Amino acid sequence: MNSHLQGELQKSGYNLTTRETDLMTTPDIHAERILVLDFGSEYTQLIARKVRSAGVYCEVHPFDLDEAAIRAFNAKGIILSCDPDAEPLVADPQPVAAAYQLDVPLLSVGYEHPGLPAVARRIGAYDDSNTPALVENFVLQDCACQGLWTPANIIEDAIAKVRAQVGERQVLLGLSGGVDSSVVAALLHRAIGDQLTCVFVDHGLMRLHEGDQVMRMFAENMGVKVIRVDAEQRFLDLLKGVNDPEEKRKIIGRTFIEVFDEESAKLEGIDFLAQGTIYPDIIESVAIKHGKARVIKSHHNVGGLPEDMKFELVEPLKELFKDEVRKLGVELGLPREMVYRHPFPGPGLGVRILGEIRKEYADLLRQADHIFIEELRAAGWYDKTSQAFAVFVPVRSVGVVNDQRRYAWVISLRAVETIDFMTARWAHLPYELIEKVSTRIITELEGISRVVYDVSSKPPATIEWE
Ligand SMILES: Nc1ncnc2c1ncn2[C@@H]1O[C@H](COP(=O)(O)OP(=O)(O)OP(=O)(O)O)[C@@H](O)[C@H]1O
């Protein structure tokens, strides 16, 4: 609502609540919208992200979205995202015909649809170097969108929605220190302040100083209510003697849920559970629907929270891609190093200690990993790799350090470059950098006698070792 109208309302004695003002002053960032119809192209999400980064809201739907839904979407423009190498998936061209009949600009990426009308434009495969610019041009010029979809506006919109949903009630959030839950915490804190309580479960498989950093950042600096649960011993006891990777994951996932449940049961008057669900988690995949999805290892989720929890969900990031979540994080004042941190698996170091997990191994691995990441950052390689970490290999190897024979453990360094984590190439780090890291690890950590570098790409190797 414009400030004039607001002023008039106030003069006439109508005092708006904060919630009403929020809802009315936030620009409608969903008003301009692009519909992306996915014909099974692997570039669909890249195209959608390009539309978003041009400042325009868009949604991805399967190509066979029904006609009524296409009309109801009320798009300013439609993008058909096709796979140039595959037979077109259009079994029934009717829905696309509906898209053609609408009086809005159409853009077909990757495939020439039969009977493409004059209103439509066709461009080549998405990986042509000029395609991203064409997508942006299509959205801003052909569809005449203004670009309201900006981090600042998204935050305003999310805050207004959260306030409207939650009112005066209380929200619980599992804070892992990862990007998604951290951004949710910062956003909800801004929206509802003390009505947010976070529970951070320290399972003892975090990186060096990670638990303290989470507490410093959220509890001390930002004043967020965070309950830290030190559950290291409990996890270690349950993991004792367990070697099988799947079994380890299950124990960690199950125990996480138990601990989280126990903590939340101690809190009173909580009605909502916040989650860092993001848009790629909920996009209905054409590739999967048509059995074309590549088979990948089950995701390293800590297990997620049980569905029968009595809470209503608050999911303020569910419209956003990961890169948008990061931009929001920076806009909300979270430090860049945290927001642009490499992904970290839910079971933490548990999947980077091969076989049985012991505290002694976790402590060595934490130190080795810290040295590796510190040197990567110092050499300017951290942002050039997508994921980098150390792995504890429980094999003893002979070494001689300071004239002393040492029979100690092996650390493997792993660094990969990837766009989508579906495939990845081992990072070609400079030898000097690997040498420096190796020397530091072997001289600084008594329990390590040998460092190796993992030169396996994905596929066939996975990024994590377990
Ligand atoms: N150690 C933990 N303590 C509290 N909550 C956690 C912890 N680990 C995970 N969670 C919760 O479970 C959710 C899913 O965990 P998962 O490991 O799949 O992380 P994610 O989806 O990458 O999110 P994030 O970036 O927040 O870690 C997290 O977003 C968080 O809310």
Side-chain angles (χ1 to χ4, degrees):
M1 176 172 66
N2 62 38
S3 49
H4 170 72
L5 190 53
Q6 207 173 322
E8 288 300 307
L9 270 175
Q10 268 157 5
K11 261 192 262 161
S12 65
Y14 186 85
N15 282 322
L16 294 168
T17 64
T18 331
R19 235 174 89 191
E20 284 165 337
T21 318
D22 282 345
L23 281 172
M24 292 168 159
T25 48
T26 312
D28 183 1
I29 57 174
H30 299 89
E32 296 180 338
R33 39 177 54 220
I34 300 290
L35 175 61
V36 180
L37 289 177
D38 179 21
F39 288 70
S41 162
E42 60 181 311
Y43 298 109
T44 301
Q45 290 204 19
L46 281 177
I47 293 171
R49 278 162 54 193
K50 191 68 218 167
V51 173
R52 297 285 189 88
S53 68
V56 180
Y57 178 68
C58 67
E59 284 180 21
V60 174
H61 289 278
F63 66 90
D64 54 0
L65 182 68
D66 64 71
E67 208 177 313
I70 293 181
R71 290 181 192 284
F73 188 84
N74 201 15
K76 292 267 281 178
I78 299 178
I79 298 179
L80 312 175
S81 167
C82 314
D83 179 351
D85 299 325
E87 283 296 302
L89 283 166
V90 212
D92 172 8
Q94 288 314 309
V96 191
Y100 287 171
Q101 284 155 20
L102 290 176
D103 191 20
V104 297
L106 265 180
L107 178 71
S108 166
V109 183
Y111 176 73
E112 188 132 20
H113 286 266
L116 207 62
V119 56
R121 298 222 263 138
R122 189 194 95 85
I123 55 180
Y126 188 79
D127 46 357
D128 287 355
S129 59
N130 57 349
T131 304
L134 287 173
V135 170
E136 185 174 317
N137 207 44
F138 171 75
V139 173
L140 298 179
Q141 307 294 321
D142 300 348
C143 305
C145 293
Q146 298 172 50
L148 294 171
W149 190 258
T150 62
N153 284 346
I154 297 169
I155 291 172
E156 289 279 299
D157 181 74
I159 288 177
K161 284 203 179 115
V162 168
R163 287 183 182 156
Q165 182 188 4
V166 168
E168 305 293 315
R169 289 175 293 166
Q170 303 283 322
V171 181
L172 175 67
L173 168 69
L175 177 61
S176 69
V179 179
D180 301 337
S181 56
S182 295
V183 173
V184 173
L187 185 65
L188 292 189
H189 183 64
R190 195 177 278 191
I192 56 169
D194 267 2
Q195 289 162 253
L196 169 70
T197 303
C198 299
V199 170
F200 166 53
V201 179
D202 188 345
H203 46 38
L205 300 167
M206 302 276 167
R207 287 162 287 191
L208 194 68
H209 308 313
E210 191 161 11
D212 295 340
Q213 280 164 1
V214 169
M215 294 311 287
R216 201 173 319 124
M217 158 93 53
F218 289 97
E220 290 163 37
N221 291 359
M222 295 171 61
V224 178
K225 261 195 270 172
V226 187
I227 299 170
R228 177 180 186 167
V229 191
D230 178 4
E232 182 182 35
Q233 202 51 52
R234 180 164 169 179
F235 278 84
L236 287 176
D237 288 347
L238 289 165
L239 288 163
K240 205 165 179 184
V242 182
N243 284 283
D244 180 65
E246 283 304 313
E247 190 59 24
K248 280 164 45 179
R249 276 172 191 269
K250 277 192 204 135
I251 293 172
I252 297 172
R254 195 188 320 131
T255 312
F256 165 74
I257 290 169
E258 282 168 15
V259 173
F260 192 87
D261 259 355
E262 287 165 18
E263 283 310 310
S264 61
K266 291 185 202 159
L267 302 166
E268 277 178 13
I270 304 262
D271 291 308
F272 296 90
L273 178 71
Q275 285 197 336
T277 317
I278 62 174
Y279 191 45
D281 299 335
I282 58 177
I283 292 179
E284 194 187 338
S285 161
V286 167
I288 288 172
K289 211 162 133 183
H290 290 263
K292 286 182 48 178
R294 272 168 279 203
V295 180
I296 41 165
K297 194 163 99 174
S298 69
H299 186 59
H300 339 272
N301 203 302
V302 282
L305 294 165
E307 280 166 11
D308 61 355
M309 284 192 123
K310 56 189 188 309
F311 307 115
E312 197 182 312
L313 291 181
V314 176
E315 298 177 298
L317 310 179
K318 71 166 188 264
E319 290 183 337
L320 307 179
F321 286 106
K322 193 87 180 184
D323 49 334
E324 295 177 305
V325 172
R326 294 202 157 102
K327 285 183 195 152
L328 233 62
V330 171
E331 182 82 19
L332 285 162
L334 295 176
R336 206 191 163 278
E337 309 88 72
M338 167 181 213
V339 168
Y340 283 88
R341 220 167 177 190
H342 292 164
F344 187 62
L349 301 184
V351 293
R352 294 177 180 174
I353 295 169
L354 307 187
E356 188 186 358
I357 296 168
R358 295 190 190 168
K359 180 160 167 56
E360 161 205 353
Y361 299 167
D363 286 341
L364 280 170
L365 179 56
R366 257 189 282 273
Q367 304 269 0
D369 188 72
H370 183 72
I371 292 172
F372 183 29
I373 300 302
E374 195 169 72
E375 292 299 336
L376 269 186
R377 284 199 191 272
W381 269 88
Y382 187 82
D383 288 333
K384 289 192 245 170
T385 51
S386 313
Q387 205 168 355
F389 52 90
V391 176
F392 184 86
V393 186
V395 167
R396 282 184 196 268
S397 139
V398 176
V400 177
V401 179
N402 299 331
D403 294 334
Q404 295 280 318
R405 197 180 127 92
R406 190 192 275 178
Y407 188 49
W409 306 113
V410 178
I411 284 288
S412 172
L413 306 176
R414 176 88 165 129
V416 297
E417 294 165 357
T418 173
I419 294 179
D420 56 5
F421 292 91
M422 302 285 275
T423 60
R425 187 181 85 147
W426 60 275
H428 294 197
L429 299 181
Y431 283 165
E432 298 71 29
L433 173 56
I434 299 178
E435 182 179 20
K436 188 162 186 200
V437 174
S438 153
T439 308
R440 274 195 63 192
I441 290 178
I442 295 173
T443 47
E444 291 175 33
L445 304 179
E446 229 175 84
I448 306 295
S449 61
R450 197 168 293 261
V451 173
V452 297
Y453 187 55
D454 181 350
V455 290
S456 325
S457 287
K458 172 183 179 178
T462 47
I463 295 175
E464 297 288 347
W465 276 42
E466 279 195 344

